[in-house]
Amino acid sequence: MYEFNIIIVSILKDKVRPVFPFTAIVGQEEMKLALLLNVIDPKIGGVMIMGDRGTGKSTTIRAIADLLPKIEVVQDDLFNSHPFDYDLMSNMVKTQVERGDHVPTKFIDVPMVDLPLGATEDRVCGTIDIEKALTEGIKTFEPGLLAKANRGILYVDEVNLLDDHLVDILLDAAASGWNTVEREGISVRHPSRFVLVGSGNPEEGELRPQLLDRFGMHAEIRTVKEPSLRVKIVEQRSKFDTNPYTCLEEFQEQQNELKSSIAAAQDRLPNVTIDYNLRVKISEVCGALDVDGLRGDIVTNRAAKAFAAYNNKIKVDINDIKSVITLCLRHRLRKDPLETIDSGNKIKQVVDSILN
């Protein structure tokens, strides 16, 4: 009986919790596009998803991670270090590589890390065991969520309720790709490159414009009104809850196709180009909309390239820009925290007059 229980526990440990398939999600095209473009090019800078309660924000975000190919990491490394890319290695792995040591590796699923609302700075950034450092002279680092999220996705639900100081830390790490922890004169620096995804309900308050601007994209989602679509969404969810494995099997072919498309787009992205005259037009739009700074220009260029790569092209055209520019600029038009975010009408008018 004892051995039987061990076998059952082992089977349950190995059993992966099923994730609702991304290709089964009905509607919410804006959110799905923003997530796809960010996993194709994480340098876009993440996405802020704002919308009504119960519209599938969390489900969609968890589903995108399930589409990504496994990544190769250094075995027993705390930071999911890349075995070949110097920029994605921890200092310990760099030292091993420089010495010519053999570095064992393994393949893991892309990390999907949830940041809870009550998280402290030490939980997010990691902490140094000061007592051990002072008494034994050993610098022991306890990694935080930023270490676990390296080369993956960091998801913050209700990010508009998170302390501004923590949001600043997350955005700085996402922008630089590094996290630095300093305590009592001891400093630890490690790679922390991830896709930052925030979600929230606008009724509970918006982020300050200065913080919102740091997100690469802003997707708006609304409750589906059409009765037939609502019925389809309810049926899909009920089918998954009743028998998730049957639902996964039904969408397996579409999931595999989308996985292949993402991987191909990631490979194609370095070769995608955008003509000078189109770059000028993007900057014209940003100037006409009085967008502060240059983040809007940079993100729109990156997103247009990722969109072109996803559509099997190596040259960006006007339609690629039109498809992504609202996502990239919508949240950069607010000058006053009391203003509401433009739904996209103002951007569309300017885009239609300049990009023709």
Side-chain angles (χ1 to χ4, degrees):
M1 186 67 181
Y2 177 71
E3 287 179 2
F4 178 74
N5 286 338
I6 290 176
I7 292 168
I8 292 295
V9 169
S10 176
I11 290 169
L12 290 173
K13 270 186 176 180
D14 292 338
K15 204 170 182 65
V16 178
R17 185 185 174 192
V19 177
F20 192 83
F22 189 86
T23 51
I25 295 166
V26 178
Q28 311 301 7
E29 299 305 323
E30 197 171 277
M31 169 171 60
K32 290 194 286 191
L33 176 61
L35 289 169
L36 282 169
L37 295 181
N38 270 276
V39 297
I40 290 168
D41 183 5
K43 290 182 181 176
I44 285 172
V47 57
M48 178 69 178
I49 300 166
M50 295 296 278
D52 303 331
R53 294 180 295 273
T55 47
K57 297 189 289 290
S58 300
T59 299
T60 309
I61 292 158
R62 290 187 172 88
I64 192 74
D66 197 46
L67 285 172
L68 302 178
K70 289 180 180 287
I71 57 172
E72 189 176 7
V73 301
V74 174
Q75 204 164 301
D76 301 325
D77 182 75
L78 298 172
F79 313 107
N80 304 323
S81 287
H82 197 290
F84 313 114
D85 188 337
Y86 207 70
D87 290 336
L88 295 173
M89 289 181 189
S90 64
N91 289 334
M92 188 183 298
V93 174
K94 283 179 185 174
T95 303
Q96 287 178 291
V97 171
E98 286 166 359
R99 283 201 310 248
D101 294 350
H102 170 66
V103 180
T105 65
K106 63 178 180 178
F107 283 87
I108 63 167
D109 291 327
V110 169
M112 171 74 193
V113 177
D114 284 277
L115 191 147
L117 268 182
T120 62
E121 185 177 339
D122 282 351
R123 178 80 181 95
V124 174
C125 298
T127 186
I128 295 166
D129 190 333
I130 299 299
E131 186 179 345
K132 189 171 278 190
L134 294 176
T135 57
E136 301 176 32
I138 301 169
K139 186 163 65 174
T140 306
F141 179 66
E142 291 294 329
L145 297 176
L146 292 180
K148 292 179 182 176
N150 187 36
R151 301 177 64 202
I153 297 172
L154 180 60
Y155 173 46
V156 190
D157 194 12
E158 307 295 352
V159 67
N160 46 334
L161 301 181
L162 196 66
D163 181 72
D164 280 353
H165 173 58
L166 284 182
V167 178
D168 263 328
I169 290 171
L170 293 176
L171 292 167
D172 282 340
S176 67
W178 290 89
N179 174 46
T180 304
V181 182
E182 293 185 349
R183 299 284 187 277
E184 307 296 329
I186 299 170
S187 179
V188 172
R189 187 169 182 259
H190 69 78
S192 184
R193 192 171 295 177
F194 52 84
V195 176
L196 179 62
V197 181
S199 69
N201 182 349
E203 291 175 5
E204 294 165 342
E206 294 275 6
L207 277 177
R208 287 187 289 118
Q210 297 91 329
L211 293 178
L212 200 54
D213 176 65
R214 304 270 294 279
F215 280 90
M217 291 179 152
H218 186 286
E220 272 189 357
I221 52 175
R222 294 284 175 261
T223 304
V224 175
K225 302 296 183 189
E226 191 181 325
S228 60
L229 276 181
R230 291 173 75 107
V231 169
K232 189 176 180 183
I233 292 167
V234 172
E235 285 176 348
Q236 293 279 43
R237 187 71 228 190
S238 300
K239 190 189 296 183
F240 180 80
D241 290 341
T242 304
N243 194 333
Y245 297 101
T246 301
C247 184
L248 288 172
E249 193 176 328
E250 182 185 334
F251 286 91
Q252 194 59 55
E253 191 176 332
Q254 291 164 262
Q255 289 282 101
N256 290 339
E257 285 177 10
L258 187 51
K259 281 181 183 180
S260 299
S261 296
I262 291 171
Q266 288 172 333
D267 291 339
R268 196 178 296 115
L269 184 63
N271 300 317
V272 176
T273 59
I274 178 167
D275 287 343
Y276 176 76
N277 66 316
L278 289 181
R279 297 201 299 271
V280 170
K281 284 185 181 292
I282 289 171
S283 293
E284 272 185 59
V285 171
C286 293
L289 290 168
D290 194 24
V291 174
D292 290 337
L294 295 173
R295 281 200 186 100
D297 307 55
I298 294 166
V299 170
T300 305
N301 275 273
R302 283 194 178 282
K305 284 183 176 182
F307 188 78
Y310 180 60
N311 285 285
N312 200 21
K313 295 186 289 188
I314 57 168
K315 196 168 186 180
V316 173
D317 60 33
I318 280 184
N319 290 327
D320 297 326
I321 297 169
K322 285 183 174 180
S323 298
V324 302
I325 197 165
T326 300
L327 286 166
C328 301
L329 300 183
R330 172 193 285 138
H331 55 303
R332 304 181 199 279
L333 306 188
R334 271 174 78 207
K335 307 294 180 186
D336 188 323
L338 299 178
E339 287 178 4
T340 56
I341 291 179
D342 180 69
S343 63
N345 294 330
K346 186 177 178 183
I347 296 172
K348 189 176 185 306
Q349 290 171 5
V350 174
V351 167
D352 287 344
S353 66
I354 293 173
L355 294 175
N356 47 38

